[in-house]
Amino acid sequence: MSGKPALILLTPQARPAAQLLMAAFPAWEVYAPDDVALPHTLPVGKAAVTIARLFADGRPVIGICAAGILIRAVAPHLRDKHSEPPVIAVASDGSSVVPLLGGHHGANLLARRIAHVLQGQAAITTAGDLAFGLGLDEPPEGYELANPEDAKPFMAALLRGEKLRIEGQAPWLKLSNLPVDQENAALTIAVTHQAEDGGETKLVYHPRVLSIGIGCERGTSPVELIRLVQSTMDEHGLAREAIAGIYSLDLKADEAAMHELARWLDVPIRFFDAATLERETPRLKNPSATVFAEVGCHGVSEGAALAAAGEAAELIVPKVKSQRATCAIALAPAPFDGALRGVARGELHVVGTGPGDSAWLTPEVRIALSEATDWVGYGLYLDLYPELAVEKTLHRYDLGEEEVRVRAALDLAAQGKRVALVCSGDPGIYAMATLVFELLEAEPARKDWQRVAVQVMPGLSAMQAAAARSGAPLGHDFCTISLSDLLTPIETILQRVKSAAEADFVIAFYNPVSQRRRTQLAMAKDILLQHRAAETPVVLARNLGREGERITLTTLGELDVEKVDMLTVVLVGSGASRAIELQDGRRFVYTPRGYDKKRQ
């Protein structure tokens, strides 16, 4: 099962069951109509469309609704039963939980967990689950079936009465009703970290018990690192599916080759500080004084492998070298979640949330907010999306604390957290993205910052929203000018206004006024009137996307500065911009681009 599960309810009658599931599974996303009145939910919109989209994205879908609604929604998207995500129907009173699709991709197990929470009954229909209490093609977390294509004939043989033997340690199999006969069996289940071939009479499960420690020189080729690990695994007959994770020293957190290796193996990559690796020195096979002098521990690859696999681990492959890299492999006594050992490379997502309406969030930003561990930003912005803030740590800052909040975001990311630096509008337009890179350039000595993965995610800017609400005033060449003189001299600002006026750009004015600064917009108006007619259309867009939104259409000559505040974006048309009124009284502003010439 992959992807964050989505819980969907369509009626108020489903509210009690949904509340129980939301408490038991707080990481789930919940979709509900407005009249259900549940906190922290996303708008379900047209249910069939939402369900189909989630299913197509590979997300498990749990619907507290009639099974037919789910079936009709996903039916056009059914392609391959081996890859489809779970789809589960839950009765509104919680009495029945029916896995409709993906039974052996997590649906049966998930249905049992839901039924346990709701004190209902999981209606499992797959033959193997009913006969033996488990699905052999659905091993628990920490185990991987190497030959899933053989699970069906293997289960069919069991249902015909064949016996099986178990090779290796598999506690989860002992809890089942499987017909085990270690002496006289035609079928075999092997549980091993070694690479083995399976077949219709042999299922091979690989427990995730291997940790791979990596060391490399700066700028090592990903190809070299991948070849080193693959050849080492092959030489020792180790199964790729048994790898729990890739591990190294935190100084290497930004090493591209290591991350490429982890992507290639499809396993997590985590890092330890030098002190943690140094504590592994008594267990190292190849301690190095040279390495200690360089990085503060006597071994990177061996130490990282052992630190990840735990105190009872065995170093089964001591350090192996290539030209610029090393690797070592440790064996843990039991499967472990590789993502929970060490610290991840920190991520800083500088996100633009748009003017304020959650419907204007881009899918990319919505995902970043949902998956972040921490949000950093101006308190007002953090409160706009409560449905996405569940289980997030919110770090609130006041206006004027821009550098403080960027530093805080970088510090949190340097600790291995996934941080969303939340900006309204677009983060690269008069927002925090610029300051992030400014600090990274100004303080190269902050190596922990330098290792952070930084990604800027665009948002709908205020000027785009203002333009859309008022028509199409940005239909031809335009520019943006901030009238705030806190960071830019007023002489520079006014010169830019004059240049834009002379060039006949449509102008979007940001920060037009503040409580203490009331003169800049009036000065800009005076300059513009020297180059444009008093009838030039002007749009005043206040509180976009939030309660109290107001769009006012006026003219340059009639522009009243006293009606503009710090929550207003001002759009001033060019000489070609036009204001029109339709027959029903609706008014719009647009700037033609010249298509009329094509019609002549």
Side-chain angles (χ1 to χ4, degrees):
M1 184 172 65
S2 62
K4 179 182 292 188
L7 177 65
I8 295 177
L9 55 154
L10 304 179
T11 65
Q13 289 72 27
R15 188 188 302 114
Q19 290 173 320
L20 290 172
L21 293 176
M22 291 169 70
F25 307 104
W28 288 6
E29 283 187 355
V30 184
Y31 294 79
D34 292 339
D35 61 359
V36 171
L38 274 174
H40 312 309
T41 59
L42 299 171
V44 72
K46 190 173 181 180
V49 175
T50 299
I51 293 167
R53 174 177 58 81
L54 293 166
F55 181 79
D57 289 343
R59 301 272 299 278
V61 177
I62 303 96
I64 308 180
C65 60
I69 294 174
L70 298 172
I71 292 170
R72 285 189 291 272
V74 304
H77 304 276
L78 296 180
R79 297 290 183 271
D80 179 8
K81 73 175 185 177
H82 298 294
S83 61
E84 63 197 16
V87 176
I88 300 173
V90 180
S92 61
D93 62 358
S95 59
S96 298
V97 183
V98 185
L100 302 173
L101 293 171
H104 289 167
H105 292 94
N108 289 346
L109 180 61
L110 187 54
R112 289 191 178 97
R113 295 173 65 192
I114 292 171
H116 177 74
V117 171
L118 300 179
Q119 298 184 353
Q121 180 68 39
I124 307 298
T125 59
T126 46
D129 288 75
L130 291 173
F132 307 118
L134 83 171
L136 287 175
D137 54 356
E138 188 186 22
E141 285 293 324
Y143 294 85
E144 185 84 14
L145 176 58
N147 55 321
E149 68 280 0
D150 295 318
K152 185 174 181 179
F154 189 96
M155 186 67 80
L158 287 176
L159 292 172
R160 291 195 303 268
E162 297 287 359
K163 308 296 183 184
L164 66 82
R165 69 170 56 87
I166 299 175
E167 299 175 352
Q169 298 299 315
W172 55 283
L173 292 174
K174 294 180 180 179
L175 300 176
S176 69
N177 300 319
L178 290 169
V180 177
D181 186 339
Q182 293 294 111
E183 301 299 328
N184 303 294
L187 306 174
T188 301
I189 288 180
V191 183
T192 176
H193 62 275
Q194 300 290 148
E196 288 190 17
D197 292 329
E200 292 189 357
T201 61
K202 181 178 181 180
L203 296 184
V204 179
Y205 294 92
H206 295 305
R208 294 197 177 275
V209 291
L210 299 180
S211 60
I212 300 182
I214 297 293
C216 69
E217 297 178 15
R218 180 63 65 183
T220 296
S221 163
V223 173
E224 177 182 345
L225 200 54
I226 290 171
R227 284 177 175 171
L228 171 63
V229 171
Q230 186 62 62
S231 62
T232 302
M233 295 283 292
D234 291 344
E235 181 180 347
H236 293 83
L238 301 175
R240 179 169 171 167
E241 296 88 346
I243 301 172
I246 303 296
Y247 304 92
S248 190
L249 180 65
D250 58 5
L251 294 178
K252 297 295 182 180
D254 61 339
E255 192 63 53
M258 290 189 180
H259 291 278
E260 191 63 34
L261 171 66
R263 281 190 289 270
W264 184 71
L265 292 171
D266 193 23
V267 297
I269 179 168
R270 297 293 185 265
F271 303 90
F272 297 98
D273 59 28
T276 300
L277 298 191
E278 180 59 14
R279 288 196 289 270
E280 301 296 334
T281 300
R283 296 201 289 170
L284 303 183
K285 300 293 185 182
N286 299 283
S288 169
T290 300
V291 173
F292 178 78
E294 290 181 357
V295 298
C297 62
H298 281 82
V300 173
S301 57
E302 291 185 354
L306 289 166
E311 295 181 357
E314 174 189 359
L315 190 66
I316 59 173
V317 180
K319 181 171 65 177
V320 179
K321 296 182 180 180
S322 64
Q323 183 176 356
R324 305 186 68 193
T326 64
C327 80
I329 304 175
L331 173 66
F336 65 95
D337 186 343
L340 300 182
R341 307 290 172 89
V343 176
R345 182 189 186 187
E347 298 180 19
L348 176 57
H349 300 287
V350 190
V351 302
T353 60
D357 191 323
S358 63
W360 284 345
L361 289 178
T362 68
E364 181 184 44
V365 168
R366 187 178 292 277
I367 291 171
L369 290 173
S370 298
E371 296 183 348
T373 59
D374 296 73
W375 290 6
V376 177
Y378 174 42
L380 173 64
Y381 302 157
L382 301 188
D383 293 333
L384 293 174
Y385 311 100
E387 73 278 6
L388 300 176
V390 180
E391 294 192 313
K392 314 299 180 190
T393 302
L394 306 186
H395 305 266
R396 303 172 182 277
Y397 293 89
D398 294 330
L399 285 175
E401 296 184 308
E402 287 79 8
E403 183 167 328
V404 175
R405 79 178 79 143
V406 171
R407 288 181 177 276
L410 285 166
D411 286 341
L412 288 166
Q415 298 169 24
K417 297 182 178 181
R418 300 189 69 172
V419 181
L421 180 56
V422 182
C423 310
S424 67
D426 182 279
I429 300 177
Y430 305 121
M432 296 293 96
T434 299
L435 187 51
V436 169
F437 296 111
E438 183 177 330
L439 289 177
L440 288 173
E441 180 186 26
E443 301 188 26
R446 287 295 305 268
K447 299 300 183 184
D448 55 341
W449 286 2
Q450 303 294 322
R451 292 192 291 269
V452 169
V454 178
Q455 183 176 1
V456 179
M457 298 180 173
L460 185 67
S461 70
M463 66 178 175
Q464 289 175 293
R469 288 288 201 246
S470 59
L474 304 182
H476 208 340
D477 296 337
F478 63 90
C479 67
T480 64
I481 299 176
S482 171
L483 293 181
S484 172
D485 60 353
L486 294 176
L487 301 174
T488 306
I490 185 61
E491 295 78 14
T492 301
I493 294 172
L494 296 179
Q495 179 57 51
R496 290 172 180 171
V497 174
K498 182 175 181 292
S499 298
E502 292 174 342
D504 200 26
F505 284 120
V506 176
I507 305 174
F509 285 120
Y510 279 66
N511 307 308
V513 298
S514 71
Q515 291 179 345
R516 297 188 301 270
R517 175 176 39 81
R518 307 292 301 177
T519 59
Q520 276 89 325
L521 182 58
M523 297 164 69
K525 174 183 174 180
D526 290 343
I527 293 173
L528 288 168
L529 283 171
Q530 297 174 25
H531 300 274
R532 296 184 193 177
E535 294 75 25
T536 301
V538 172
V539 177
L540 306 181
R542 186 184 187 279
N543 231 24
L544 285 160
R546 303 170 192 166
E547 185 177 353
E549 174 183 291
R550 186 172 69 246
I551 305 298
T552 302
L553 304 186
T554 184
T555 65
L556 185 58
E558 295 177 351
L559 173 60
D560 185 352
V561 175
E562 295 306 315
K563 293 183 178 180
V564 177
D565 63 14
M566 60 191 301
L567 299 178
T568 305
V569 174
V570 179
L571 303 183
V572 179
S574 69
S577 299
R578 301 183 63 182
I580 63 172
E581 183 171 342
L582 303 186
Q583 291 182 358
D584 59 4
R586 288 175 296 156
R587 299 173 64 208
F588 296 99
V589 174
Y590 78 98
T591 303
R593 196 178 173 195
Y595 290 109
D596 58 325
K597 298 181 178 62
K598 286 190 173 184
R599 296 196 300 271
Q600 294 175 357

